[in-house]
Amino acid sequence: MTAMTSFTDRHNRTYKTYQQKTQVTCGPACCLIMWANVYHADPIADEGGVIGLSKAYPKPWNASTGAEINNLSGVLRSMAVPNQVETYSATGDLRAALHQRVHYGKPALAFAEWEVDAAVVGHFVVVGYADARADQWTILDPMNGPQETTGIPAYYPITDDADPPVLRFTGAVAFVI
Protein backbone atom coordinates (compact mmCIF):
# COMPACT_ATOMS: atom_id res chain seq x y z
CA MET A 1 0.00 0.00 0.00
CA THR A 2 1.26 3.47 -0.86
CA ALA A 3 1.03 5.78 2.13
CA MET A 4 -0.44 9.10 1.08
CA THR A 5 -0.32 12.36 3.02
CA SER A 6 -3.31 14.61 3.55
CA PHE A 7 -3.56 18.25 2.56
CA THR A 8 -6.46 20.59 3.35
CA ASP A 9 -6.77 23.65 1.13
CA ARG A 10 -8.27 27.04 1.95
CA HIS A 11 -11.65 25.78 0.71
CA ASN A 12 -11.57 23.19 3.52
CA ARG A 13 -11.24 20.31 1.08
CA THR A 14 -8.88 17.53 2.09
CA TYR A 15 -6.87 15.77 -0.59
CA LYS A 16 -4.55 12.80 -0.62
CA THR A 17 -1.16 13.55 -2.11
CA TYR A 18 2.14 11.82 -2.68
CA GLN A 19 5.80 12.73 -3.29
CA GLN A 20 7.29 11.19 -6.46
CA LYS A 21 10.31 8.94 -5.89
CA THR A 22 12.50 10.06 -8.82
CA GLN A 23 12.84 13.02 -11.18
CA VAL A 24 10.89 11.23 -13.95
CA THR A 25 8.09 9.49 -12.04
CA CYS A 26 5.65 12.40 -11.84
CA GLY A 27 3.24 10.60 -14.19
CA PRO A 28 3.04 7.36 -12.18
CA ALA A 29 2.87 9.41 -8.95
CA CYS A 30 -0.04 11.41 -10.38
CA CYS A 31 -1.88 8.18 -11.22
CA LEU A 32 -1.62 7.24 -7.55
CA ILE A 33 -2.83 10.71 -6.52
CA MET A 34 -5.74 10.51 -8.97
CA TRP A 35 -6.83 7.09 -7.68
CA ALA A 36 -6.51 8.15 -4.03
CA ASN A 37 -8.67 11.23 -4.57
CA VAL A 38 -11.32 9.41 -6.59
CA TYR A 39 -11.64 6.57 -4.07
CA HIS A 40 -10.64 8.51 -0.91
CA ALA A 41 -8.23 5.76 0.14
CA ASP A 42 -4.55 4.93 -0.07
CA PRO A 43 -3.80 2.92 -3.22
CA ILE A 44 -2.52 -0.63 -3.00
CA ALA A 45 -0.29 0.05 -6.03
CA ASP A 46 3.01 1.90 -5.95
CA GLU A 47 5.00 3.74 -8.64
CA GLY A 48 6.53 0.47 -9.83
CA GLY A 49 3.09 -1.08 -10.26
CA VAL A 50 1.90 1.93 -12.27
CA ILE A 51 5.03 1.73 -14.43
CA GLY A 52 4.29 -1.97 -15.01
CA LEU A 53 0.73 -1.16 -16.09
CA SER A 54 2.11 1.50 -18.44
CA LYS A 55 3.80 -1.19 -20.54
CA ALA A 56 0.41 -2.48 -21.69
CA TYR A 57 -0.30 0.76 -23.60
CA PRO A 58 1.38 2.62 -26.48
CA LYS A 59 4.28 4.94 -25.57
CA PRO A 60 4.93 3.42 -22.12
CA TRP A 61 6.76 5.20 -19.32
CA ASN A 62 10.55 5.07 -19.58
CA ALA A 63 13.36 6.31 -17.39
CA SER A 64 14.61 8.86 -19.96
CA THR A 65 11.45 10.66 -21.02
CA GLY A 66 8.93 9.72 -18.35
CA ALA A 67 5.29 9.30 -19.32
CA GLU A 68 2.79 10.42 -21.96
CA ILE A 69 -0.76 11.51 -21.11
CA ASN A 70 -2.58 9.03 -23.37
CA ASN A 71 -0.54 6.20 -21.88
CA LEU A 72 -1.39 7.34 -18.36
CA SER A 73 -5.04 7.60 -19.35
CA GLY A 74 -4.95 3.89 -20.21
CA VAL A 75 -3.21 3.14 -16.92
CA LEU A 76 -5.88 5.07 -15.01
CA ARG A 77 -8.64 3.11 -16.80
CA SER A 78 -6.94 -0.14 -15.81
CA MET A 79 -6.88 1.20 -12.22
CA ALA A 80 -10.68 1.66 -12.45
CA VAL A 81 -10.49 5.45 -12.89
CA PRO A 82 -12.59 6.17 -15.99
CA ASN A 83 -11.23 9.21 -17.78
CA GLN A 84 -11.11 11.10 -21.03
CA VAL A 85 -8.16 13.02 -22.46
CA GLU A 86 -8.88 16.38 -24.02
CA THR A 87 -6.54 19.03 -25.41
CA TYR A 88 -7.26 22.75 -25.36
CA SER A 89 -5.33 25.24 -27.43
CA ALA A 90 -6.98 28.36 -25.99
CA THR A 91 -6.31 29.39 -22.39
CA GLY A 92 -9.93 30.38 -21.82
CA ASP A 93 -11.17 26.98 -23.00
CA LEU A 94 -8.72 25.17 -20.70
CA ARG A 95 -9.73 27.27 -17.69
CA ALA A 96 -13.44 26.80 -18.46
CA ALA A 97 -13.07 23.03 -18.85
CA LEU A 98 -11.18 22.72 -15.57
CA HIS A 99 -13.80 24.92 -13.86
CA GLN A 100 -16.69 22.81 -15.18
CA ARG A 101 -15.21 19.33 -14.82
CA VAL A 102 -12.96 19.31 -11.73
CA HIS A 103 -14.93 18.57 -8.58
CA TYR A 104 -14.21 17.01 -5.22
CA GLY A 105 -13.59 13.34 -5.99
CA LYS A 106 -13.10 14.15 -9.69
CA PRO A 107 -9.61 15.59 -10.08
CA ALA A 108 -7.87 16.05 -13.42
CA LEU A 109 -4.43 14.94 -14.59
CA ALA A 110 -2.76 17.85 -16.36
CA PHE A 111 0.49 18.21 -18.30
CA ALA A 112 2.72 21.26 -17.90
CA GLU A 113 6.10 22.27 -19.28
CA TRP A 114 8.96 24.51 -18.26
CA GLU A 115 12.29 25.46 -19.76
CA VAL A 116 15.50 24.20 -18.16
CA ASP A 117 18.83 25.12 -19.76
CA ALA A 118 17.11 25.84 -23.11
CA ALA A 119 15.36 22.45 -23.11
CA VAL A 120 11.65 21.96 -22.51
CA VAL A 121 10.85 19.63 -19.62
CA GLY A 122 7.40 18.14 -19.03
CA HIS A 123 5.71 17.57 -15.69
CA PHE A 124 2.40 16.03 -14.62
CA VAL A 125 0.28 17.43 -11.80
CA VAL A 126 -3.23 16.78 -10.52
CA VAL A 127 -5.76 19.62 -10.39
CA GLY A 128 -7.91 19.06 -7.31
CA TYR A 129 -9.83 22.34 -7.20
CA ALA A 130 -10.64 24.69 -10.06
CA ASP A 131 -12.51 27.99 -9.85
CA ALA A 132 -11.87 30.00 -13.00
CA ARG A 133 -14.10 32.89 -11.92
CA ALA A 134 -12.17 33.46 -8.69
CA ASP A 135 -8.89 32.34 -10.32
CA GLN A 136 -8.24 29.85 -7.51
CA TRP A 137 -6.67 26.46 -8.13
CA THR A 138 -5.43 23.64 -5.92
CA ILE A 139 -2.59 21.73 -7.57
CA LEU A 140 -1.44 18.39 -6.18
CA ASP A 141 2.13 18.45 -7.42
CA PRO A 142 4.09 15.24 -6.79
CA MET A 143 7.43 17.08 -7.04
CA ASN A 144 6.77 20.39 -5.26
CA GLY A 145 3.97 19.36 -2.91
CA PRO A 146 0.40 20.66 -2.84
CA GLN A 147 0.00 24.24 -4.01
CA GLU A 148 -2.77 26.83 -4.02
CA THR A 149 -2.25 29.16 -6.93
CA THR A 150 -3.70 31.70 -9.34
CA GLY A 151 -2.96 32.53 -12.96
CA ILE A 152 -3.53 29.23 -14.75
CA PRO A 153 -2.26 28.36 -17.39
CA ALA A 154 0.97 29.59 -15.77
CA TYR A 155 1.82 27.85 -12.51
CA TYR A 156 4.47 29.15 -10.13
CA PRO A 157 5.16 26.43 -7.55
CA ILE A 158 6.48 27.48 -4.18
CA THR A 159 9.76 25.64 -3.70
CA ASP A 160 13.03 25.91 -1.81
CA ASP A 161 14.86 26.45 -5.11
CA ALA A 162 16.67 29.75 -5.58
CA ASP A 163 15.24 29.94 -9.10
CA PRO A 164 11.88 28.09 -9.04
CA PRO A 165 10.40 26.97 -12.34
CA VAL A 166 7.47 28.59 -14.09
CA LEU A 167 5.27 25.86 -15.51
CA ARG A 168 2.79 26.36 -18.32
CA PHE A 169 -0.09 23.98 -18.79
CA THR A 170 -0.04 22.61 -22.33
CA GLY A 171 -3.81 22.11 -22.50
CA ALA A 172 -3.57 18.29 -22.33
CA VAL A 173 -5.83 17.07 -19.53
CA ALA A 174 -7.30 13.71 -18.47
CA PHE A 175 -10.69 14.29 -16.80
CA VAL A 176 -12.42 11.72 -14.61
CA ILE A 177 -15.74 10.76 -16.21
Side-chain angles (χ1 to χ4, degrees):
M1 181 175 287
T2 298
M4 308 295 279
T5 57
S6 292
F7 168 75
T8 302
D9 69 6
R10 72 179 82 155
H11 307 286
N12 206 30
R13 294 180 180 199
T14 300
Y15 302 94
K16 290 186 173 284
T17 190
Y18 173 79
Q19 186 76 33
Q20 68 192 67
K21 299 293 184 206
T22 74
Q23 188 72 21
V24 294
T25 55
C26 57
C30 281
C31 287
L32 297 171
I33 294 169
M34 291 282 290
W35 190 93
N37 285 287
V38 168
Y39 291 103
H40 307 288
D42 289 356
I44 295 170
D46 61 11
E47 284 183 7
V50 172
I51 289 167
L53 287 172
S54 170
K55 294 176 183 174
Y57 301 95
K59 298 182 181 177
W61 178 92
N62 71 67
S64 298
T65 60
E68 191 268 335
I69 196 161
N70 289 309
N71 178 275
L72 295 178
S73 173
V75 169
L76 285 168
R77 282 192 304 276
S78 69
M79 294 172 67
V81 178
N83 68 89
Q84 176 180 346
V85 174
E86 295 187 14
T87 303
Y88 300 91
S89 56
T91 297
D93 293 343
L94 171 63
R95 289 171 57 94
L98 290 168
H99 179 86
Q100 293 167 0
R101 298 184 66 183
V102 171
H103 305 288
Y104 192 68
K106 285 193 165 191
L109 174 67
F111 188 65
E113 294 177 327
W114 76 92
E115 191 173 313
V116 178
D117 299 326
V120 175
V121 177
H123 182 55
F124 285 100
V125 298
V126 173
V127 180
Y129 179 83
D131 185 339
R133 290 184 194 109
D135 193 25
Q136 296 179 349
W137 315 86
T138 299
I139 308 295
L140 308 174
D141 186 330
M143 183 187 315
N144 300 302
Q147 309 272 325
E148 295 181 77
T149 191
T150 62
I152 299 295
Y155 161 51
Y156 305 86
I158 298 169
T159 71
D160 293 333
D161 295 342
D163 189 22
V166 176
L167 289 93
R168 297 212 179 272
F169 286 91
T170 65
V173 183
F175 290 105
V176 175
I177 53 174

